[in-house]
Each structure stands twice: as structure tokens, then as C-alpha cells.
Amino acid sequence: MDITRQVEQLLKQGRVDIFLGYKELYGHLIPHGYTLDNLEELENLKVSQHRYSLEKVATHLVEKKPDLKIGIIARDCNQRALNILYTWNQLNPENIETLGVNCCPSKTRKHGDCSYLEPKKTGEFKKENGIDFNAEPEAFMAEFDNPERFSHWMYEFNKCIKCYGCRNVCPVCFCPECSLENPDLVEPGSLPPEVPIFHLIRATHMAGRCVDCGLCEDACPAEIPLRFLYRQMNQIVGDVFGYAPGEGIEKSPFTIIGDKVTLEPKPMDV
Ligand code: SF4
Ligand code: SF4
Ligand code: SF4
């Protein structure tokens, strides 16, 4: 059964109140909610190669209607993000139905594609500022000694225009009060935002959370290799805690004891 008919069935059977997919508007795909009230619009449902954090839209809907049953088109990265949102109690898995579709490449395709897929070597990116963006992350990092890596990241961070696009598109950035807007941490009205604090705040918050969807990097108008930064962060999380964000809903690096959340490192080999 094609995906349009599957969505129709989900809506008619009352298994979902709304289905989040895409529709075309002026030649571009935009996120769209399909319901029983606009069933005729279903013929416009698109899947294509488009990616968006539909699960983030779902969290906003649930803020208004906690019991809403939501269907979502889900690629692997959407599913990983959903798993994080279930783990952090932002969405109830019992109220979410997913229709899986194939993976697609990131728009910018820097640093290879999704780290969860086989690495691809396209050879289509030239070196920029002496950095070979085709290199695997390890090779990329190994190419530079520490002072050069530091100065490269300072250069990247100084391009930031503090548009918050990275945070706003990120499916796992859901805090009602964001540290990036806390005047004690990030001075209001200064551009670029204080280097490197602004970016290090976000990077540390993505440790154990970022699902490597790449949407932040796709959205960044300054083309800062954010995904690569967070991937490095999560490599450490993986090494220390044996945890890959979004792998499943039962796994979390956190242990809750009483009202305290603690981190449990994985047992070390001796
Ligand atoms: S890749 Fe970027 S947008 Fe995607 S989960 Fe990680 S930080 Fe968020
Ligand atoms: S940047 Fe940090 S504080 Fe802001 S929404 Fe993301 S995780 Fe929350
Ligand atoms: S999307 Fe890019 S330019 Fe905008 S705040 Fe994030 S890092 Fe800075």
C-alpha cells in the first residue's frame, strides 16, 4: 500500500489525529499536518528527499494538546530523535505512529553523510582554508596539531551571526528556557556571540543527545561544521558511557536515584 493510503487508513481508523508529512508550496516542500478535516489534501502528501524535524513540530503540538495522537514520516534520524524525546519524556511513544521511509543524504554533505550509514566518499568537496572536508573525522582532526585546530574552530565560531537556526531546527533542543538566551552566560546584543562560549554551551548540551541528523549544519547560514563538532562530542560519550544517542528508548546514560540524576560510566576494561 502506498504511503498516502497508509496515512488515510491511520486517520480514518482514528489511530492518529494528525499526520505530519510534507506538501509542496511554490515549488518547495514544507512540513504539513494532514487530518480528517483536510483529507482531500492527502493527495498532495510528499515524501521525496526532504528532511525536517517533524518530531520537533510534534513536541510543540503536544505542548498544546498533551493527548494528541500523532503520525509522522520517519527516516532513521527522525526515529533516533523520537527515541531521545521519549527518553526525556517530551513525547509519549504510545501516542506516536511512524511510517518509515528511506534515508537521504544531508544537503551540505560535509564530513561524509550520516555517521549511522556506511561512509561515502564523493570527492566533490574541495579543500577550504586548508581543511579537507572529504576526510573522515579522525583524519580531519589528525591533520592538525592542537593550536591549528583551535584556531580553525575560533575562525568558524567567529562567523556565527547568532540566528539561533541551529537550536531552532534541532529536534532534541526542547528546553523552555535556553541557556543560549541566558544573559549571565551569553551577552545580549553582541555579535558574534562570545567565542567560544556560545558554541561550547550548545556542544556540551548535545553530548548524549545529538542524533547526528545534520539539520543544524544544513540550517547554519555561516556554514559552521556543527555536526562535526557534536559528532566529536558524542564520540567521547560513546567511549566513556557506551551510549549512542537515540539508539533505543530503553537505553539512557542517566540513572535516576531519588530526585538526583547521575551519570553511570560503563565498566572499564582492566
Ligand atoms: S545534528 Fe544538529 S540538529 Fe541534529 S540532533 Fe545533532 S545538534 Fe540537533
Ligand atoms: S541549546 Fe541547550 S539549553 Fe538551549 S534548547 Fe538546546 S539543549 Fe536546551
Ligand atoms: S545556525 Fe550558525 S550562525 Fe546561526 S546561531 Fe547557529 S551556529 Fe550561529
Side-chain angles (χ1 to χ4, degrees), residues 155-166 186-187 189-195 198-199 219-224 226:
Y155 155 74
E156 293 289 355
F157 295 157
N158 268 293
K159 295 189 295 180
C160 176
I161 58 168
K162 204 161 85 171
C163 64
Y164 292 105
C166 49
V186 177
E187 195 184 327
S190 64
L191 271 185
E194 195 183 342
V195 173
F198 181 88
H199 293 276
C220 178
E223 300 196 333
I224 300 170
L226 299 165

Side-chain angles (χ1 to χ4, degrees), residues 21-218:
Y22 304 99
K23 79 168 184 182
E24 197 172 305
L25 191 69
Y26 302 118
H28 298 278
L29 290 188
I30 58 164
H32 188 68
Y34 296 90
T35 65
L36 271 183
D37 293 337
N38 63 14
L39 211 51
E40 69 289 348
E41 283 195 295
L42 254 188
E43 301 315 313
N44 301 325
L45 176 69
K46 295 270 191 275
V47 178
S48 169
Q49 294 271 293
H50 202 62
R51 299 186 318 133
Y52 191 80
S53 47
L54 294 173
E55 54 283 359
K56 182 150 193 157
V57 177
T59 59
H60 290 311
L61 291 173
V62 164
E63 273 168 29
K64 305 262 185 283
K65 284 190 174 183
D67 294 327
L68 197 69
K69 289 180 281 172
I70 302 172
I72 300 184
I73 284 182
R75 294 193 162 81
D76 278 9
C77 52
N78 299 117
Q79 189 57 62
R80 292 196 299 276
L82 283 169
N83 289 343
I84 293 284
L85 295 167
Y86 299 150
T87 303
W88 287 72
N89 292 329
Q90 299 301 306
L91 288 175
N92 178 353
E94 289 179 9
N95 288 342
I96 305 290
E97 290 267 1
T98 55
L99 290 183
V101 293
N102 288 337
C103 290
C104 60
S106 148
K107 197 173 74 190
T108 54
R109 295 169 62 93
K110 280 182 181 168
H111 313 124
D113 267 318
C114 175
S115 60
Y116 290 75
L117 299 174
E118 289 295 312
K120 294 186 184 83
K121 289 280 186 187
T122 63
E124 65 194 65
F125 291 105
K126 59 182 188 309
K127 285 194 175 192
E128 288 173 25
N129 304 302
I131 309 293
D132 181 358
F133 284 108
N134 274 322
E136 292 300 303
E138 295 74 17
F140 173 84
M141 294 304 273
E143 241 183 275
F144 297 88
D145 60 23
N146 281 335
E148 283 172 327
R149 278 194 305 218
F150 183 75
S151 78
H152 177 73
W153 281 114
M154 292 302 106
Y155 155 74
E156 293 289 355
F157 295 157
N158 268 293
K159 295 189 295 180
C160 176
I161 58 168
K162 204 161 85 171
C163 64
Y164 292 105
C166 49
R167 177 203 63 184
N168 292 350
V169 79
C170 177
V172 297
C173 264
F174 47 72
C175 311
E177 287 179 22
C178 176
S179 303
L180 299 178
E181 294 188 72
N182 180 335
D184 292 334
L185 298 171
V186 177
E187 195 184 327
S190 64
L191 271 185
E194 195 183 342
V195 173
I197 296 301
F198 181 88
H199 293 276
L200 294 189
I201 291 172
R202 185 146 196 283
T204 51
H205 291 192
M206 289 304 105
R209 260 209 239 193
C210 169
V211 295
D212 195 30
C213 68
L215 288 173
C216 53
E217 196 171 295
D218 285 356

